[in-house]
Amino acid sequence: MAHQVTIKDLARHLNVSVATISRALRDMPEIKPETRQAVLQLAKEWDYQPNILATSLVKSRTKTIGVIVPDLAYHFFASVIKGIEAEAIARGYSLLLTQTSELYERELINVQNLSRGQVEGFIISLSQETVDLDHLKRLQRKGIPLVFFDRDAQELDVSKVMVDNVGAAYEATKHLIDNGCKRIAFLAGPQSVTVSNQRLEGYGNALKDHGMLVEDELIVHGEYALSKAVAITHHLLNLENRPDGLIVVSDRLAVGAISALKARNIKIPDEVAVVSFNDEPICTVITPTLSSVAQPTLDIGRNATSLLIDEIEDAAGTFKPEIQILKTQLIVRESSQRLK
């Protein structure tokens, strides 16, 4: 179905009355078992869900956007949300905001809850666990607009607002090479996360372009958890030929890496130089200050919201999904700048 399925759609297809459909869905005793079974089966196939706001929507729209992010404690996501809210308010919309805590099951529940008539579209950054996309494909089948930012599902033809992660990681890796690093490791996120894989691609491209090997033992994937970053860094330092440079997929994980380096009394950046991503406020207050790739978070939020509302308000049905790739900026600080 190309739109939100209603009991009228079910009734028309089964050639029964709307009242019969309603009674079958409510398991009323006067409905024949075979009729009830046919209704429930079709409702399942067509992803029918009761629309709790159906009555009010006849008179007016909700003008509400659902926003789902992995973790509200991340400065990156909090900053993007500021941009989302600013654009939404400017265009007369409000937000319903949820987080997944990096859990697929919670993402699934959030999508289900928000899609029951409360929101007109979604802005989503996927959890690190999300591989099964059925819950998002259901949104598409119902005609509910969807926009991704930061972490996306490449197989879904929807609007996306991303940054040039490949180029950003290339620049970060080249910076370490230019500062004398000969053996650069990459502390990556889970292999299911596209943004981490894109940064890994840029890292590999930079090494190859500068005549350096891409070594599997120097690439380690892990969850977005501080303890994992600490453990991975100790693992890398225990290698027979340990790295002298480290690219970390996010600032939060970089804090763990720096903690591990300090615990081993390793001088930063002289012995191991470090660069990460997101340019969170903590980058300027830890010692040494942390070099990081800054992203245009407010623009990411504004642009994602603008695309979503444009699609929501596209009465003619001519909207085409758009992919925007925004530029980043490497902010060089003490953790990677070696004295020459």
Side-chain angles (χ1 to χ4, degrees):
M1 303 296 292
H3 63 285
Q4 180 87 29
V5 176
T6 68
I7 60 174
K8 289 182 179 180
D9 296 319
L10 302 178
R12 189 179 302 114
H13 185 80
L14 295 173
N15 196 27
V16 297
S17 68
V18 169
T20 297
I21 297 292
S22 178
R23 293 188 184 105
L25 292 172
R26 288 182 290 152
D27 200 24
M28 300 293 282
E30 63 266 35
I31 300 299
K32 294 179 181 179
E34 59 267 29
T35 302
R36 180 184 299 107
Q37 180 61 33
V39 170
L40 295 178
Q41 181 63 35
L42 185 62
K44 181 179 179 181
E45 291 176 0
W46 285 8
D47 298 313
Y48 169 79
Q49 291 182 350
N51 189 340
I52 60 174
L53 296 182
T55 302
S56 64
L57 283 173
V58 171
K59 300 178 180 178
S60 63
R61 293 169 37 210
T62 64
K63 302 203 77 174
T64 303
I65 294 170
V67 181
I68 302 176
V69 300
D71 193 336
L72 289 169
Y74 276 37
H75 178 267
F76 170 80
F77 292 118
S79 186
V80 171
I81 289 167
K82 287 184 180 180
I84 292 173
E85 185 177 45
E87 182 67 17
I89 290 174
R91 298 186 62 170
Y93 284 71
S94 59
L95 309 182
L96 283 178
L97 178 63
T98 64
Q99 64 179 348
T100 63
S101 299
E102 298 286 11
L103 301 173
Y104 165 75
E105 289 296 336
R106 190 167 295 181
E107 179 176 294
L108 181 62
I109 291 170
N110 289 341
V111 168
Q112 289 174 340
N113 289 342
L114 293 177
S115 64
R116 287 176 182 148
Q118 299 176 2
V119 302
E120 295 192 53
F122 284 86
I123 298 174
I124 299 179
S125 184
L126 298 175
S127 84
Q128 67 181 12
E129 292 185 349
T130 301
V131 177
D132 186 340
L133 304 174
D134 282 350
H135 59 306
L136 303 177
K137 292 176 181 178
R138 281 197 293 270
L139 294 180
Q140 284 191 299
R141 290 198 296 270
K142 294 175 183 178
I144 299 176
L146 169 64
V147 175
F148 285 122
F149 77 93
D150 188 52
R151 306 184 197 171
D152 71 326
Q154 295 180 330
E155 65 186 85
L156 295 186
D157 183 23
V158 300
S159 293
K160 304 171 185 179
V161 180
M162 316 297 287
V163 299
D164 181 8
N165 285 298
V166 176
Y170 187 103
E171 182 183 5
T173 306
K174 181 179 182 299
H175 166 68
L176 290 185
I177 295 171
D178 291 344
N179 276 268
C181 292
K182 305 296 185 184
R183 188 169 164 79
I184 302 170
F186 191 97
L187 200 167
Q191 290 178 293
S192 61
V193 177
T194 55
V195 63
S196 175
N197 295 334
Q198 290 164 354
R199 290 170 184 171
L200 180 57
E201 180 183 349
Y203 154 85
N205 291 345
L207 293 183
K208 292 173 185 176
D209 286 352
H210 291 80
M212 300 170 69
L213 294 176
V214 179
E215 301 181 55
D216 289 341
E217 72 172 0
L218 294 180
I219 300 170
V220 186
H221 294 269
E223 298 173 2
Y224 285 98
L226 193 69
S227 60
K228 291 290 185 181
V230 172
I232 289 171
T233 305
H234 281 300
H235 164 77
L236 290 169
L237 295 174
N238 288 335
L239 295 175
E240 184 175 348
N241 186 9
R242 77 185 190 192
D244 61 358
L246 184 58
I247 302 289
V248 188
V249 75
S250 74
D251 293 335
R252 178 170 292 199
L253 298 187
V255 171
I258 288 175
S259 174
L261 292 170
K262 287 183 175 181
R264 303 280 281 262
N265 293 316
I266 292 174
K267 296 178 182 178
I268 309 167
D270 297 336
E271 294 180 82
V272 178
V274 182
V275 178
S276 63
F277 295 81
N278 293 343
D279 194 36
E280 299 197 6
I282 197 171
C283 293
T284 61
V285 296
I286 63 172
T287 304
T289 54
L290 178 59
S291 297
S292 187
V293 174
Q295 303 183 63
T297 51
L298 294 178
D299 287 341
I300 292 172
R302 291 192 188 101
N303 292 11
T305 308
S306 179
L307 285 170
L308 183 67
I309 295 176
D310 285 349
E311 184 172 0
I312 289 171
E313 298 183 346
D314 175 37
T318 58
F319 181 89
K320 300 295 182 184
E322 180 179 332
I323 297 178
Q324 297 184 2
I325 308 295
L326 307 184
K327 294 186 178 298
T328 62
Q329 180 182 6
L330 174 62
I331 308 298
V332 177
R333 299 189 179 94
E334 296 168 348
S335 69
S336 66
Q337 187 65 61
R338 292 174 172 174
L339 298 177
K340 296 181 180 180

